[in-house]
Amino acid sequence: MAISDDVLVIGGGLAGVSSALAAAQEGVRVRLISHKKSTLRNASGLIDLLGYADGELVADPFEAIPVLPEGHPYERVGIEAIRGGFSLFDEAVGASYLGAHTDRNALVPTYGGTVKPTARYPVSTAAGLASDSRSTLLVGFEGLSAFDAPLAAEHLQAADVPFDVHGVSIAFPKRFRSDATAMRFARALDRDEPAENGESHTRDVLVETVKAHLDGAERVGFPALLGEDTPEEVRGSLESALGVDVFEVPMGPPSLPGLRLEDRLYEALDEAGVRVTTGNPVAEFDTENGRITTVYTDRGGQRVPFEASEVVLATGGLVGKGIGSNRKGVYEPVFDCYVSHPEERSEWSREGAFDDHPFARFGVSVDRDMQPLDAEESAEYGNLRAAGSVLGGYDLANEKSGSGVSIATGYAAGRAAGEHA
Amino acid sequence: MSVHTSSGTESDTEVVVIGGGSTGCGIARDLAMRGVEVTLVEKGNLTHGTTGRMHGLLHSGARYAVSDQESARECITETRVLEDIASHCVEETGGLFVQLEEDDDAYYEEKLQGCRDCDIPAEELTAEQAREVEPYLTNEAQRAIRVPDGAIDPFRLCVANAADTERHGGRIETHAPVTDLLVEDGEVVGVEIQHESGPGKRVHGKEGETEEIRAEYVVNATGAWAGRIGEMAGLDIEVRPSKGVMVVMNVRQVDTVINRCKPKGDADIVVPHETTCILGTTDEEVSDPEEYPEEQWEVDLMIDELSKLVPLLEDARTIRSYWGVRPLYEPPDTGTTDPTDISRQFFLLDHADRDGVAGMTSIVGGKLTTYRLMAEEISNHVCEQLGVEGECTTAEEPLPGSEDFSVLRDYMEEFGLRSPIGKRSVQRLGSKAEEVLKTGERNPVVCTCEAVTSAELRDAISHAGTDLNATRIRTRASMGNCQGGFCCHRMAAELSPAYDERVVRDSLDELYQERFKGQRHALWGEQLSQAMLNHALHATTMNRDRDPARKEEPGIEYGAFDAGPSPGVSGDGSTRATADGGVRSDGGTPDSGAGRSGKSAKKREGEHGDQ
């Protein structure tokens, strides 16, 4: 017998979770199915809304959104849904995130040595904001080549940040194999493992080493590896021992703040009573009178049916494989929704690495009710909505808008699905 | 020796070799080993032109065994030499000439006989035997001829030749395009070069200068660019550049060179190369070796045609495509119309005999496999002009990195590297492994796709300076699946602290751009997903597309942004949140930044923080 729900959300990333939470608020029965681990683990953990519009840095996203072009996901959902989505997010993550006290963006120093505009940031990064003028020491670890603290400090100086900043590279108190990732460092701090010298523990040795470089700095930044399971405790113990604020510098994949966010969001789903089924891809679906009635996942060759009255497609973009492509064209692999793209592959990209690439905007187009549209601009299915980076019409990297679009469109699609169910 | 003058620098040497491809590097090494003082100048990094843009096939000669037996004989002889003197650049993969059902029986027989005539070992395999060698070979294969084709890393080969040139007292100048030939009384007496970043190793952002290098003899080894150099002395050299596409796959679908056994044609070879396979190629005459169309049909043709040999290729992941330009040449009045019919022989053009302009010889045509032989012949010619009596020893003396490589030791334990990483490092470094890897410092893996460690990168940087593309070709870092998305910035960080932040940033931008360019012709499926991920990593979190440190970006008005709900543990943010021209908590004023034009239209004027 088929599993039956009111709303079925396909996709377990930020957009899927936001959809499921919004739908659940409408008091209906919601299920989220996802195939693979979400791309949140690749994400920095920063929740951007809109960092750049027309290539210009944006201090207040809500002032820039009204002038975005027609078809942009923010234009589709409108300001009210964006605010609604962010309220939902703030509630879901609670005290683990900051930034809700203002509409303005914060500038967070990241591992490349630049600053990134963002609307919300993990509490662990809060003491590092670039508009805070306290003098700063950045600490990197030999062997962790993804973050070169002295170089990042020089880079921040070149960006004219309003504070003194220095960087130092030190040996981590415990020696790992040459290819250890941030995860291994984090675990050693979580467990406060014995240090290399065999006499003291990791955190104590780390504190003593950093103290020698403090030189009056009022805050200290480390790459985002201060604990996987108990980050608050790790950071807190370092702060009290050092006597200054400690912050994390967001890193590339695998990203601990991204993983922590994923954990927090799945707890919120659980609290909201959303049922979660993971591990299998969607293989096929049934329709009746232009509506999707049943979606089947493929469990090692066996078809598992999921019935629902409303469906949200939140399978991600090119990275998450919610948008697929081959030599012939670009497509949406689950429901084969229409994806507009140039016929010639050579027109999918531009010459410069950071040019305005058409491929970055590939995705399905939706109406203002978040329903995917076919080539003739009619709704593909009567009960299907789409959210997150499966949508086209925006460049999440260039605009620094990926998280915000997922949250706002997820909220809008989920709420509408919940209302109709 | 060199002296500074008002207009630049002057120096002199015995021989200037123009061109840092395999031929130029081979000539420089040969001459240097005979005791000739030699300076090699190259406009880009080593292998910049054609050498770095070929498929990496080390020819057994079987390919020419029917059409050009003289070339075929040279190939098998030189392949044997390179297996010996350049063992760390060569992989003895073996090769197959595969006959499909529609391919001509008579040609297969001719190929087999041709190999035997040229002393190329050739073994006949049944279809079953061939599939035992290469399991992904098509079921349509009729039979195959096994020959000793191999794979060669042209980058490592050139770098080793250049390093040996320096070891024998020669000088190598990269990023130094020739801007003029010095001609006096109808004789070439040297070259004028433009140092793009000062002489020696490249440093990004360093001021360039010109240098006149006077020489007793000049060798023009610029291949497809030979005509451009010739023009500078009024010489007409009829090079006929012909482009060919190479398509790089993400893994080695085959471990043997797979050739289609048919007379000639596009898209007939798959070469296993390091961690990848390279599909080739096309052959189309172009008018300009630098400006020619890179066309989608060429890429599609490779996949469509070569899938007939190895069906797995149809849906495999392509990581990039690139084009190379063959330096084909034919003597005036030969009149060949199809470039595939132009000889692959090389030609030595002594401009004294040919044009009445003494002091320079050009070398055109030829192919990588026989680069050493070409270098030997031209070096003989140069030595004759100079009256130097030294004998050529390049066929016997191993290249640096290749000495005693047969006694490969297990470095894994010694250098603390996990086994596959240690194995790959040692393969790339050859006999230099001990010297490079024996470092007291931590030696993390920087490029995980290709397993390149920090120590290997630092060694390459010590030779290449800030040119990360030159470091890339020495180490293969950033040449795997992610095409540098996960490691370009980490490679760049290895330049610090020897070079300052601005230089590191410029070097990173150049490498990242180069990596992107080659992927443009492979952007579908997995690689398009990868490109979007790279775009997101570099533009989103690192914000490299709008890096505020870049001069083109307007300064940021930091005071217009969120400084936190209550900056600092104490909760009094009054002295901490910087507004325009604000006072820092240490009592100083910001030395720059504040007061520069920000995004006033989009910020709330007059507000200082949000407390």
Side-chain angles (χ1 to χ4, degrees):
Chain A
M1 213 184 86
I3 297 159
S4 187
D5 296 280
D6 296 317
V7 174
L8 179 69
V9 177
I10 307 171
L14 196 49
V17 171
S18 301
S19 295
L21 290 174
Q25 277 191 335
E26 301 298 320
V28 298
R29 188 180 155 100
V30 182
R31 181 174 302 272
L32 181 150
I33 59 175
S34 76
H35 173 204
K36 286 187 275 195
K37 287 175 177 172
S38 84
T39 49
L40 278 168
R41 66 192 53 238
N42 287 338
S44 64
L46 299 176
I47 300 295
D48 50 17
L49 202 171
L50 186 69
Y52 290 83
D54 269 344
E56 301 253 306
L57 180 62
V58 167
D60 183 345
F62 289 94
E63 286 180 12
I65 285 168
V67 295
L68 291 172
E70 190 174 335
H72 191 287
Y74 285 146
E75 178 271 332
R76 301 277 95 177
V77 298
I79 291 277
E80 180 267 332
I82 300 170
R83 291 203 183 273
F86 270 79
S87 301
L88 188 70
F89 174 83
D90 291 334
E91 208 176 300
V93 296
S96 63
Y97 271 75
L98 294 174
H101 63 283
T102 175
D103 276 354
R104 295 193 199 185
N105 277 326
L107 298 171
V108 177
T110 66
Y111 66 120
T114 60
V115 294
K116 193 216 155 171
T118 188
R120 300 287 186 273
Y121 39 92
V123 67
S124 66
T125 63
L129 299 188
S131 300
D132 176 338
S133 63
R134 287 177 293 167
S135 59
T136 304
L137 173 69
L138 295 179
V139 176
F141 297 113
E142 290 163 13
L144 192 81
S145 64
F147 181 62
D148 185 315
L151 186 64
E154 270 189 70
H155 199 145
L156 286 170
Q157 284 164 7
D160 286 338
V161 291
F163 50 86
D164 281 333
V165 53
H166 296 282
V168 62
S169 189
I170 63 172
F172 194 77
K174 198 176 160 76
R175 206 175 167 118
F176 306 120
R177 295 197 82 134
S178 295
D179 49 359
T181 65
M183 315 291 284
R184 183 66 192 91
F185 290 77
R187 224 158 288 150
L189 287 166
D190 268 337
R191 300 182 199 144
D192 201 12
E193 292 174 5
E196 205 63 33
N197 63 22
E199 288 158 23
S200 12
H201 286 262
T202 310
R203 294 186 202 169
D204 287 341
V205 178
L206 180 57
V207 166
E208 287 316 305
T209 316
V210 172
K211 264 187 182 165
H213 295 282
L214 261 184
D215 197 23
E218 296 161 279
R219 50 180 175 167
V220 178
F222 292 93
L225 48 70
L226 302 182
E228 183 182 0
D229 301 326
T230 58
E232 300 310 312
E233 192 213 317
V234 172
R235 193 162 44 83
S237 72
L238 296 180
E239 282 185 338
S240 51
L242 285 167
V244 295
D245 278 3
V246 166
F247 64 91
E248 288 189 315
V249 177
M251 303 281 290
S255 162
L256 281 155
L259 286 166
R260 293 177 201 140
L261 173 62
E262 188 175 15
D263 288 348
R264 189 66 209 94
L265 291 173
Y266 276 78
E267 282 168 27
L269 285 179
D270 199 38
E271 286 157 20
V274 173
R275 289 150 181 83
V276 178
T277 306
T278 59
N280 299 308
V282 172
E284 54 187 305
F285 60 100
D286 293 336
T287 59
E288 205 178 291
N289 301 325
R291 296 173 66 84
I292 296 159
T293 54
T294 312
V295 169
Y296 300 86
T297 61
D298 173 28
R299 185 167 68 196
Q302 184 196 3
R303 293 284 184 266
V304 183
F306 293 87
E307 289 177 357
S309 56
E310 298 291 325
V311 178
V312 178
L313 179 70
T315 42
L318 286 167
V319 178
K321 313 287 164 66
I323 297 295
S325 65
N326 54 33
R327 283 196 283 149
K328 308 271 183 290
V330 185
Y331 56 93
E332 184 280 297
V334 176
F335 298 113
D336 200 21
C337 293
Y338 172 71
V339 179
S340 161
H341 62 276
E343 201 168 318
E344 289 288 314
R345 282 202 313 267
S346 57
E347 290 168 29
W348 294 3
S349 62
R350 304 259 181 269
E351 206 173 312
F354 292 122
D355 285 357
D356 192 1
H357 298 300
F359 73 73
R361 297 170 186 276
F362 285 170
V364 304
S365 345
V366 289
D367 62 16
R368 290 199 169 81
D369 191 32
M370 304 313 287
Q371 295 214 271
L373 300 173
D374 62 20
E376 277 75 47
E377 307 216 325
S378 339
E380 293 266 11
Y381 298 98
N383 61 340
L384 179 66
R385 288 176 182 76
S389 44
V390 74
L391 300 177
Y394 74 114
D395 180 340
L396 62 91
N398 176 301
E399 297 171 358
K400 325 306 179 207
S401 63
S403 300
V405 165
S406 289
I407 289 170
T409 59
Y411 172 79
R415 187 180 55 175
E419 280 169 1
H420 285 85
Chain B
M1 59 162 282
S2 70
V3 287
H4 288 275
T5 67
S6 56
S7 61
T9 317
E10 277 178 25
S11 63
D12 52 55
T13 186
E14 280 181 281
V15 177
V16 166
V17 176
I18 312 172
S22 55
T23 312
C25 291
I27 295 166
R29 176 189 190 226
D30 193 326
L31 290 171
M33 283 171 68
R34 298 191 208 200
V36 176
E37 190 187 38
V38 61
T39 297
L40 181 145
V41 296
E42 160 59 49
K43 71 172 178 168
N45 59 36
L46 297 175
T47 76
H48 174 89
T50 300
T51 301
R53 310 186 70 78
M54 47 91 70
H55 44 44
L57 173 67
L58 184 63
H59 280 281
S60 64
R63 219 172 161 73
Y64 305 117
V66 178
S67 60
D68 182 355
Q69 297 206 338
E70 194 183 339
S71 287
R73 284 194 189 88
E74 285 173 6
C75 281
I76 187 67
T77 309
E78 285 302 304
T79 286
R80 295 303 189 214
V81 169
L82 292 179
E83 286 167 359
D84 218 27
I85 66 157
S87 56
H88 68 309
C89 308
V90 170
E91 183 185 351
E92 296 178 37
T93 61
L96 297 178
F97 276 78
V98 178
Q99 185 192 7
L100 300 186
E101 200 169 355
E102 66 255 44
D103 298 339
D104 183 22
D105 275 334
Y107 184 76
Y108 175 93
E109 298 299 339
E110 277 182 70
K111 178 71 79 183
L112 191 61
Q113 189 54 46
C115 287
R116 289 180 175 155
D117 292 346
C118 299
D119 297 322
I120 299 164
E123 180 190 354
E124 277 197 275
L125 302 182
T126 63
E128 289 69 35
Q129 286 170 326
R131 271 196 301 278
E132 255 172 57
V133 177
E134 282 303 336
Y136 293 122
L137 200 61
T138 172
N139 290 326
E140 310 293 314
Q142 302 294 298
R143 51 182 171 167
I145 306 170
R146 175 142 73 177
V147 297
D149 281 344
I152 186 159
D153 188 315
F155 306 116
R156 227 173 286 155
L157 182 71
C158 283
V159 168
N161 272 283
D164 212 27
T165 303
E166 287 183 323
R167 202 165 70 171
H168 287 88
R171 177 180 167 204
I172 307 287
E173 285 293 339
T174 60
H175 303 288
V178 169
T179 45
D180 205 2
L181 289 174
L182 307 179
V183 183
E184 285 171 11
D185 304 326
E187 188 179 337
V188 177
V189 295
V191 299
E192 180 194 85
I193 58 173
Q194 169 80 36
H195 288 290
E196 286 177 345
S197 60
K201 288 181 291 189
R202 185 174 192 191
V203 180
H204 282 74
K206 196 165 150 186
E207 199 75 25
E209 59 191 36
T210 58
E211 178 181 349
E212 278 189 12
I213 307 176
R214 299 186 74 84
E216 289 174 47
Y217 208 79
V218 173
V219 177
N220 174 17
T222 54
W225 285 261
R228 299 225 173 148
I229 296 294
E231 276 170 24
M232 294 175 182
L235 303 168
D236 192 16
I237 305 167
E238 307 80 7
V239 186
R240 295 182 57 178
S242 158
K243 70 166 175 172
V245 69
M246 261 66 65
V247 175
V248 188
M249 311 308 289
N250 72 323
V251 293
R252 287 167 66 122
Q253 284 85 5
V254 295
D255 290 316
T256 310
V257 177
I258 307 291
N259 303 270
R260 178 91 179 261
C261 191
K262 62 176 187 179
K264 66 176 182 186
D266 289 343
D268 64 352
I269 189 164
V270 184
V271 183
H273 181 76
E274 300 280 327
T275 51
T276 69
C277 272
I278 299 178
L279 318 185
T281 180
T282 44
D283 198 345
E284 291 234 332
E285 194 158 340
V286 294
S287 54
D288 184 323
E290 282 172 17
E291 294 289 328
Y292 51 84
E294 298 179 343
E295 290 162 278
Q296 183 173 318
W297 69 263
E298 297 178 271
V299 174
D300 287 334
L301 181 74
M302 292 308 114
I303 297 168
D304 293 339
E305 276 299 304
L306 289 163
S307 299
K308 292 179 187 164
L309 281 173
V310 183
L312 191 68
L313 294 172
E314 174 71 35
D315 297 312
R317 175 171 172 179
T318 303
I319 57 177
R320 58 196 284 125
S321 289
Y322 58 90
W323 276 256
V325 178
R326 300 173 189 82
L328 300 184
Y329 174 84
E330 60 176 18
D333 307 324
T334 312
T336 308
T337 49
D338 183 345
T340 56
D341 291 332
I342 298 177
S343 167
R344 263 52 176 170
Q345 287 283 309
F346 68 88
F347 296 86
L348 188 159
L349 312 177
D350 184 325
H351 297 293
D353 303 342
R354 185 179 177 270
D355 310 289
V357 176
M360 183 165 95
T361 285
S362 295
I363 182 157
V364 285
K367 54 196 158 303
L368 183 99
T369 301
T370 57
Y371 89 95
R372 193 211 59 82
L373 181 66
M374 292 159 66
E376 177 175 345
E377 291 195 16
I378 200 156
S379 297
N380 287 343
H381 179 74
V382 171
C383 287
E384 214 174 281
Q385 312 302 308
L386 298 176
V388 173
E389 288 176 358
E391 289 283 307
C392 176
T393 53
T394 56
E396 294 83 36
E397 288 292 323
L399 283 159
S402 199
E403 305 100 341
D404 210 14
F405 190 51
S406 54
V407 290
L408 190 72
R409 288 167 43 203
D410 183 355
Y411 290 89
M412 277 89 87
E413 278 308 305
E414 190 172 344
F415 303 125
L417 299 171
R418 289 186 192 222
S419 60
I421 297 161
K423 207 167 152 191
R424 301 227 39 227
S425 294
V426 172
Q427 272 167 356
R428 283 187 296 259
L429 292 164
S431 55
K432 284 171 66 196
E434 179 153 352
E435 174 198 330
V436 173
L437 297 177
K438 217 165 199 168
T439 157
E441 292 173 45
R442 296 195 184 189
N443 187 21
V445 176
V446 173
C447 164
T448 49
C449 296
E450 294 291 320
V452 185
T453 66
S454 170
E456 217 181 314
L457 287 169
R458 285 195 299 261
D459 171 64
I461 287 167
S462 75
H463 298 287
T466 66
D467 184 350
L468 290 175
N469 280 310
T471 287
R472 168 178 66 77
I473 64 174
R474 283 165 165 82
T475 60
R476 287 193 60 80
S478 79
M479 290 174 79
N481 275 354
C482 83
Q483 291 288 293
F486 285 75
C487 67
C488 275
H489 52 293
R490 300 165 71 183
M491 288 171 69
E494 296 291 342
L495 292 168
S496 171
Y499 299 94
D500 70 27
E501 188 274 331
R502 176 63 199 276
V503 174
V504 174
R505 198 177 346 130
D506 289 348
S507 304
L508 169 58
D509 287 343
E510 184 182 74
L511 174 65
Y512 189 74
Q513 176 59 42
E514 190 282 338
R515 293 284 79 193
F516 179 73
K517 183 172 179 277
Q519 284 175 81
R520 281 198 70 202
H521 297 281
L523 290 186
W524 69 83
E526 288 286 345
Q527 206 60 29
L528 183 57
S529 296
Q530 181 75 55
M532 187 62 206
L533 176 59
N534 292 353
H535 183 53
L537 289 173
H538 285 261
T540 311
T541 311
M542 282 193 266
N543 194 9
R544 286 190 44 228
D545 61 331
R546 298 285 171 200
D547 188 342
R550 269 174 25 189
K551 274 192 300 216
E552 307 84 68
E553 292 291 319
I556 296 178
E557 210 165 341
Y558 286 92
F561 290 82
D562 177 17
S566 54
V569 275
S570 61
D572 81 351
S574 51
T575 61
R576 285 173 175 171
T578 286
D580 298 359
V583 176
R584 285 196 308 241
S585 53
D586 61 3
T589 48
D591 38 25
S592 54
R596 284 169 60 175
S597 70
K599 298 288 167 299
S600 52
K602 292 199 174 92
K603 78 173 178 75
R604 293 182 193 171
E605 293 288 351
E607 288 188 22
H608 293 186
D610 282 276
Q611 296 89 339

